[in-house]
Amino acid sequence: MPANDGIDVDDHLGESGLDGDNAQRIYRYMLLARAISEKSWLLTRQGRVLFSMPCDGQEAADVASAYALDTGKDFIVPYARSLGAMLVKGMTAQEVMLNMFGKAADPNSGGRQMPMHWGHKKLGIISMGSSVGTTIPRASGVALASKLKGQGAVTMVYFGEGSASEGDFHEGLAFAGVHRLPVVFFCNNNGWATSVPVSLQSAEPQVSRRAEGYGFPGLTVDGLDPLTVYQAVKTAVDRARSGDGPTLVEATTIRMMPHSSSDNHLRYRSQDELDAEKESDPLPRFQNLLVSAGLLDGESDQVLRDAVDQEVESAIEYADAAPPPDPETALTGVYAP
Amino acid sequence: MSEMRLIEAVRDGLREELAADGSVFLIGQDIAVNGGVFRVTEGLLEEFGPERIIDSPLAESGMVGVAVGAAMNGLRPVVEIQFADFIFPAFNQLVSEAARMYYRTNGEYSVPLVIRAPYGGGVRGGLYHSQSVEAYFAHVPGLKVVVPSSPYDAKGLLKAAIRDDNPVLFFEHKLAYNTVRGEVPQGDYTVPIGKAVVRREGQQLSLISYGLSVHHCLEAADTLSAEGIDCEVVDLRTVSPLDTATLLESVKKTGRACIVHEDNLTGGVGAEVAAIIAKDAFEFLDAPVQRVAAPDVPSFPYSPNLEDALLPGPPDIVRMARELSAY
Ligand SMILES: Cc1ncc(C[n+]2csc(CCOP(=O)(O)OP(=O)(O)O)c2C)c(N)n1
């Protein structure tokens, strides 16, 4: 059946390697990520949460890429906008909200780091700080250990195109190429690093082309289509797992919201531009595709959305009421025993 | 004279130096169209154009390295590091290169470079939007490190830093940007680098500090004076090189010293000041030299009650001063 953009939906689904069940699951994760992102934004406006970095526009890329991993075994090295990937990797809405509220039970850092600074050892999510780019060689190190230990695990590291300007990007990719490490470098190119457009990051705006310089494949995919992202990342993950080395996957996405709750994007983007971008919101697009494929209808969509909203609301309620970290603990845990 | 916030004084200093000297230019992340994430450079792109107000790629080592090269070829770059916490990718360019260029070329090459960065906690930005990093750089010969506490000093010291032929690190407390106000002259003046100032005269105890912590000392001194403890407050203004004469003069007069900073205790600026006092004012001391600083944990954590438990403030200074005066 043809979808509204002319491609055959069933072919597209078939080529992606995803069956209807999995496509529906991806859609639910995307809805959940969007709902958490939107609610978190509102909570910052109400002063109940102090900071947020919205992922609106990035859900297809984050969810579908993580979906290509063996979530029980593989590692993710995230960045602040990787919420969708965190959910796929097993973080619950409740855990995310404990993190947003900086509560003691937050599995990411017990309230020590700002919201959306992910890290969850039990789930194989390697902790990130704020200093962008540092994650990239660290991901190569995690993958090196997997290789030496014969773990069979793949590591996927997420970062923005701005962060790919840090020297650590080069150093991490170079090492991974030399040692053919089981790692996937996933660049989320939303065109902006806060207020700085990608044209000011490099005279070559296509980040994936850099992979050639490190001796492994790089490709750019439509990050607004989860099926395309899944297919590309699955190939990269399989390649990594079979010992053929790294891949750099660049997903072109959009940043529908300001950089963070401290940013006002109208200082550097026009409302017209933002309105136009909203037209390519990955959520309605995937929703339409699922409807065309007979995997969703108005009623089942509403049921799904209500369930997601309920999940987020009760997570907020739980996290809001959860105890904050005990001030006494601020001095402890500087060194491992 | 007009009353300004500290952020406006920094901007004023930048604008005047850009206007007066065509070799001055700015480089940083989000400093051009967006005017910087704190808006320090707001309006400068419109006034001076994109060749002199440069939005850098997201690469600290790159932008500082570029600035060092430009400085070696006759320009006077002013780099903004978005948060002091993100200066570390540039550590090598600053410490291995900029700091020792003049020495290693036997005086052939100087590096007239300014690195500006907002520092400090209290804004719920832990762990990485709240650090004090001055001690790492104060350790390094060849670098100057300036931490202004007032709008007057911020403008005057920044202008002096831009005209200085050495690499100068200039740390601005982000909480002070909009909360600290003061009189600032219109037009040109400088405040000399390497000179401390006595902010409040007193006879019984010297509180020695810099940056936002100076205001905490002044507040504590008010509380203490009501209890009959008469404090002197010394604002170092430059933490490297230190104005040893001014701080020693104060301690020799009062016989008691407490150094106050928001940076963590071990290896901080306070340790160096304490060593100087121990050596050169030993016979004048009536009590041990003490320090009020953040505890030795990796910066302030995010959660408000964790951060508040660690941020040193006026009550900590008051407590320490009482202890010292009772010694
Ligand atoms: C080393 C370092 N420098 C600066 C920053 C401040 N900062 C945080 S996010 C960001 C922009 C990131 O852009 P990009 O990597 O493209 O990711 P996006 O936010 O667009 O998803 C900047 C400059 C930082 N966190 N770390």
Side-chain angles (χ1 to χ4, degrees):
Chain A
M1 184 191 293
N4 40 11
D5 52 2
I7 50 162
D8 188 281
V9 170
D10 296 324
D11 284 357
H12 192 33
L13 251 177
E15 277 165 21
S16 75
L18 285 165
D19 61 21
D21 274 359
N22 283 310
Q24 284 167 333
R25 271 191 211 113
I26 285 177
Y27 180 61
R28 190 184 195 282
Y29 279 123
M30 287 170 63
L31 284 177
L32 184 58
R34 174 65 58 91
I36 292 176
S37 186
E38 285 180 346
K39 283 283 191 240
S40 298
W41 183 263
L42 287 178
L43 289 167
T44 65
R45 301 300 100 172
Q46 296 165 352
R48 293 168 69 197
V49 157
L50 305 180
F51 182 78
S52 170
M53 279 180 76
C55 67
D56 306 43
Q58 224 168 276
E59 295 88 350
D62 288 340
V63 167
S65 56
Y67 210 80
L69 292 172
D70 178 343
T71 48
K73 168 170 171 184
D74 293 340
F75 294 97
I76 286 184
V77 188
Y79 90 109
R81 255 182 263 285
S82 306
L83 171 61
M86 298 299 89
L87 299 172
V88 175
K89 199 76 172 78
M91 206 180 294
T92 64
Q94 198 172 85
E95 289 177 317
V96 171
M97 280 301 160
L98 285 167
N99 173 258
M100 297 308 299
F101 281 88
K103 293 301 177 75
D106 160 31
N108 294 279
S109 78
R112 288 181 173 193
Q113 290 216 82
M114 286 168 82
M116 297 180 161
H117 285 52
W118 316 112
H120 196 310
K121 192 171 180 186
K122 247 193 295 184
L123 296 177
I125 299 165
I126 303 288
S127 169
M128 57 168 278
S130 303
S131 188
V132 299
T134 59
T135 47
I136 298 171
R138 212 149 65 239
S140 296
V142 173
L144 176 70
S146 289
K147 185 179 165 185
L148 298 182
K149 289 161 73 177
Q151 217 168 23
V154 172
T155 298
M156 183 141 67
V157 54
Y158 291 88
F159 51 89
E161 85 293 338
S163 303
S165 293
E166 292 282 357
D168 271 353
F169 169 88
H170 163 75
E171 299 177 35
L173 269 69
F175 193 95
V178 168
H179 295 276
R180 297 172 77 82
L181 297 179
V183 54
V184 178
F185 300 100
F186 192 88
C187 177
N188 209 308
N189 188 345
N190 59 22
W192 294 94
T194 316
S195 74
V196 180
V198 62
S199 59
L200 296 182
Q201 296 293 341
S202 172
E204 167 53 72
Q206 197 177 337
V207 175
S208 67
R209 294 192 61 184
R210 297 182 206 172
E212 192 188 338
Y214 305 112
F216 55 80
L219 70 158
T220 301
V221 297
D222 175 5
L224 303 175
D225 174 25
L227 301 181
T228 305
V229 172
Y230 175 83
Q231 200 180 340
V233 175
K234 185 73 171 63
T235 307
V237 168
D238 289 347
R239 198 182 115 80
R241 208 181 307 281
S242 63
D244 290 335
T247 306
L248 170 58
V249 180
E250 173 186 23
T252 50
T253 60
I254 52 175
R255 201 190 78 198
M256 296 166 63
M257 295 289 286
H259 170 74
S260 75
S261 50
S262 318
D263 180 42
N264 171 8
H265 57 180
L266 291 174
R267 290 176 65 88
Y268 51 87
R269 301 184 74 178
S270 72
Q271 191 60 55
D272 283 352
E273 178 192 334
L274 287 160
D275 290 343
E277 206 172 71
K278 214 167 184 259
E279 297 294 308
S280 44
D281 183 342
L283 265 160
R285 180 170 152 184
F286 195 44
Q287 179 189 354
N288 289 340
L289 185 141
L290 293 180
V291 170
S292 306
L295 293 166
L296 192 74
D297 58 30
E299 198 181 322
S300 58
D301 190 46
Q302 198 52 51
V303 170
L304 211 51
R305 284 171 190 267
D306 290 346
V308 162
D309 280 347
Q310 188 48 48
E311 189 175 335
V312 179
E313 282 307 334
S314 60
I316 291 172
E317 211 173 298
Y318 178 87
D320 201 7
D326 177 356
E328 295 285 313
T329 63
L331 292 168
T332 62
V334 177
Y335 295 97
Chain B
M1 284 279 188
S2 58
E3 202 194 64
M4 279 189 190
R5 290 171 290 148
L6 192 137
I7 191 170
E8 295 168 309
V10 174
R11 189 185 302 135
D12 221 33
L14 288 172
R15 184 186 290 116
E16 285 180 16
E17 291 306 295
L18 281 159
D21 180 352
S23 67
V24 176
F25 74 100
L26 312 190
I27 182 165
Q29 294 156 16
D30 303 289
I31 66 163
V33 178
N34 202 26
V37 296
F38 290 96
R39 312 288 180 249
V40 172
T41 53
E42 174 133 60
L44 299 182
L45 174 69
E46 292 73 8
E47 203 170 334
F48 299 102
E51 290 204 336
R52 296 182 69 198
I53 312 294
I54 301 175
D55 260 339
S56 161
L58 213 184
E60 289 76 12
S61 177
M63 64 192 192
V64 172
V66 163
V68 172
M72 291 174 73
N73 195 13
L75 298 186
R76 292 189 173 271
V78 181
V79 179
E80 177 176 295
I81 301 286
Q82 199 161 85
F83 288 84
D85 312 61
F86 303 135
I87 202 168
F88 299 113
F91 198 79
N92 199 30
Q93 287 289 350
L94 286 168
V95 172
S96 306
E97 301 301 319
R100 51 190 79 174
M101 195 62 72
Y102 191 71
Y103 188 80
R104 87 176 183 210
T105 62
N106 213 8
E108 284 291 315
Y109 276 109
S110 60
V111 182
L113 163 71
V114 177
I115 308 287
R116 293 181 38 250
Y119 81 100
V123 298
R124 312 315 184 200
L127 302 171
Y128 298 89
H129 300 74
S130 53
Q131 293 172 67
S132 299
V133 304
E134 63 274 9
Y136 297 105
F137 299 101
H139 179 68
V140 180
L143 298 178
K144 298 184 179 184
V145 184
V146 174
V147 193
S149 71
S150 73
Y152 179 93
D153 280 357
K155 179 175 168 181
L157 281 165
L158 181 60
K159 288 163 77 80
I162 292 171
R163 296 176 198 182
D164 199 292
D165 281 334
N166 297 284
V168 181
L169 289 110
F170 194 90
F171 296 118
E172 303 153 8
H173 201 293
K174 60 179 80 73
L175 207 57
Y177 275 146
N178 291 302
T179 60
V180 175
R181 293 167 176 275
E183 292 294 321
V184 177
Q186 263 139 19
D188 191 40
Y189 69 95
T190 58
V191 172
I193 293 175
K195 280 266 171 271
V197 67
V198 174
R199 292 281 176 212
R200 175 190 173 115
E201 305 235 6
Q203 300 299 322
Q204 293 168 281
L205 165 64
S206 301
L207 297 172
I208 301 163
S209 191
Y210 54 91
L212 183 69
S213 299
V214 169
H215 298 278
H216 296 161
C217 290
L218 290 168
E219 196 182 320
D222 280 344
T223 310
L224 290 159
S225 102
E227 302 175 11
I229 302 172
D230 184 23
C231 294
E232 179 146 307
V233 176
V234 179
D235 180 354
L236 292 171
R237 302 197 282 195
T238 300
V239 300
S240 181
L242 282 166
D243 179 358
T244 50
T246 301
L247 72 93
L248 284 170
E249 194 187 323
S250 175
V251 177
K252 285 177 181 176
K253 178 176 73 175
T254 62
R256 290 179 166 83
C258 175
I259 306 112
V260 179
H261 53 63
E262 199 184 295
D263 197 359
N264 67 293
L265 186 77
T266 299
V269 170
E272 189 58 33
V273 173
I276 290 166
I277 295 169
K279 176 177 168 290
D280 289 330
F282 183 72
E283 284 149 29
F284 297 83
L285 288 174
D286 298 322
V289 179
Q290 282 285 16
R291 291 173 286 169
V292 168
D296 288 323
V297 303
S299 182
F300 302 111
Y302 164 75
S303 185
N305 61 338
L306 292 180
E307 181 171 41
D308 290 344
L310 301 188
L311 269 172
D316 305 291
I317 302 168
V318 167
R319 218 173 299 121
M320 183 63 84
R322 285 184 190 138
E323 205 178 290
L324 276 176
S325 74
Y327 185 85

